[in-house]
Amino acid sequence: MEKPYIVDQKFEKESTLAIGEYEHCVFKNCQFESEDFKNFQFVDCTFESCNLSLVKLSGASLQKVHFKDCKMQGLRFEACNPFLFEVSFDTCVLNLSSFYQIKGKKTKFSGCTLHEVDFTEADFTEATFDDCDLAGALFDQSNVSKADFRSAFNYVIHPSLNQIKKAKFSQDGLAGLLQGFDIHIS
């Protein structure tokens, strides 16, 4: 059975979606918490003011998908189809989510809460973390070369365990780079 192809549609206050391919669609004020998006395809779509916490993403395709003002706790982005994976986030809560081994070059995070998010072995080269709270976020064997952390805060990134060449940091954020060396800054 072929999946339906839905284009240029607006969905408001929905709580379920039919499996299919959604292109140029807008999802607003939807409550998708704990839904199963297995093998769904989203291309050039926007999710605005939606609850996507604990959504299952196994095989889901996210291509040029923008999330704005969304609650997205506990998502496992590594379960997504990696082909043309491209996402951006604006004032979203992504606590306890995982980007393990994700190739997220040039991903934009703006005004997001990223508490205890797993970036282990991920490639976020040239990513932007604008005004993001990264308390407890895990960077281990991650590539954040050329990434911009100048307005991010509460991060701890060990330079000896991660690739950070040409990444941008503010002076206020230097403590987060030195914490692993057991030195005190006053």
Side-chain angles (χ1 to χ4, degrees), residues 6-151:
I6 299 101
V7 64
D8 293 322
Q9 297 290 313
K10 185 171 184 178
F11 298 85
E12 268 198 82
K13 298 182 180 176
E14 299 290 331
S15 59
T16 59
L17 278 181
I19 188 170
E21 182 177 339
Y22 296 84
E23 188 167 350
H24 297 289
C25 291
V26 175
F27 303 89
K28 193 166 184 178
N29 297 312
C30 295
Q31 297 297 317
F32 296 133
E33 186 173 9
S34 299
E35 283 295 303
D36 190 348
F37 283 2
K38 181 179 182 176
N39 298 324
F40 278 58
Q41 187 169 4
F42 299 99
V43 180
D44 287 318
C45 290
T46 299
F47 288 84
E48 189 174 335
S49 302
C50 294
N51 184 350
L52 297 152
S53 293
L54 300 173
V55 164
K56 294 163 197 70
L57 295 170
S58 181
S61 184
L62 302 177
Q63 301 173 13
K64 294 184 180 177
V65 178
H66 181 68
F67 298 95
K68 180 175 175 44
D69 300 320
C70 290
K71 184 177 177 184
M72 308 174 70
Q73 299 191 108
L75 298 187
R76 299 182 54 89
F77 289 96
E78 68 269 16
C80 290
N81 181 339
F83 184 69
L84 298 175
F85 178 85
E86 186 180 333
V87 290
S88 61
F89 305 93
D90 187 6
T91 58
C92 292
V93 177
L94 289 137
N95 298 342
L96 302 169
S97 291
S98 175
F99 290 93
Y100 175 71
Q101 293 185 333
I102 287 291
K103 290 180 181 11
K105 291 183 178 183
K106 298 185 179 181
T107 298
K108 293 190 185 329
F109 296 91
S110 181
C112 294
T113 304
L114 298 152
H115 292 182
E116 298 183 45
V117 171
D118 187 358
F119 291 101
T120 300
E121 297 178 23
D123 183 353
F124 279 86
T125 303
E126 297 182 75
T128 302
F129 294 88
D130 182 36
D131 195 32
C132 290
D133 185 351
L134 289 152
L138 179 61
F139 291 90
D140 184 13
Q141 304 302 316
S142 308
N143 185 350
V144 290
S145 300
K146 299 181 182 176
D148 189 344
F149 290 92
R150 289 178 292 184
S151 61

Side-chain angles (χ1 to χ4, degrees), residues 141-174:
Q141 304 302 316
S142 308
N143 185 350
V144 290
S145 300
K146 299 181 182 176
D148 189 344
F149 290 92
R150 289 178 292 184
S151 61
F153 51 97
N154 292 330
Y155 56 82
V156 174
I157 302 172
H158 297 265
S160 57
L161 299 175
N162 298 282
Q163 296 177 49
I164 64 168
K165 190 174 184 175
K166 296 190 178 180
K168 298 172 188 151
F169 299 93
S170 69
Q171 278 191 316
D172 292 340
L174 292 180

